Amino acid sequence: MTLSPKQIALLAADAVKDKKAKDVVLLDIKEISVVSDYFLICTGLSSTQVKAIAENTEQKLEEHGITKLRMEGFRDAHWILIDYGILVVHIFQESDREFYNLERLWGDARVVDL
């Protein structure tokens, strides 16, 4: 069974929630960007939690045959980015999320109800 981009994004949202990610936001950016269809943004309270969220997300999506194109930031775990092409997952520590404020940067995006 092939999952739609939205189903993949919702699967990733469930995966980050499994590891108690805070302030989970799914942005539909396909109408305003050629970068991706969705951005999933969430917060972990420590580098250990940020890494656990990233690892769980990668594992859960791989179970459905969805492999990442690349991952950045894992070693320092202040901001881990996992690129799936149609979905980009951003896992931040709180201060980094506030600093980069992707929700404001992509303010024209539609927020998807989770």
Side-chain angles (χ1 to χ4, degrees):
M1 178 175 102
T2 303
L3 298 175
S4 71
K6 184 174 183 179
Q7 289 171 317
I8 293 168
L10 293 173
L11 181 64
D14 287 342
V16 303
K17 289 179 185 177
D18 286 346
K19 292 298 177 180
K20 309 294 186 223
K22 301 259 185 226
D23 303 320
V24 180
V25 175
L26 181 60
L27 300 178
D28 180 340
I29 63 168
K30 65 181 167 284
E31 300 296 325
I32 60 172
S33 175
V34 296
V35 173
S36 186
D37 287 355
Y38 293 94
F39 273 3
L40 179 63
I41 306 167
C42 66
T43 302
L45 300 179
S46 66
S47 60
T48 302
Q49 186 185 18
V50 168
K51 286 180 179 182
I53 293 167
E55 289 170 338
N56 193 59
T57 302
E58 185 178 12
Q59 178 186 349
K60 294 295 183 186
L61 270 62
E62 281 181 357
E63 289 172 3
H64 288 83
I66 302 154
T67 56
K68 70 180 184 291
L69 301 175
R70 65 190 169 116
M71 180 188 291
E72 297 180 11
F74 189 82
R75 188 170 49 153
D76 293 332
H78 288 278
W79 174 8
I80 296 178
L81 179 146
I82 312 173
D83 184 357
Y84 290 97
I86 53 106
L87 167 69
V88 179
V89 180
H90 300 271
I91 308 162
F92 287 98
Q93 286 193 41
E94 194 167 12
S95 61
D96 295 283
R97 183 169 179 179
E98 289 173 10
F99 179 79
Y100 290 103
N101 199 357
L102 293 184
E103 291 96 324
R104 183 190 54 75
L105 184 64
W106 292 93
D108 292 341
R110 186 176 64 82
V111 177
V112 178
D113 289 331
L114 295 176

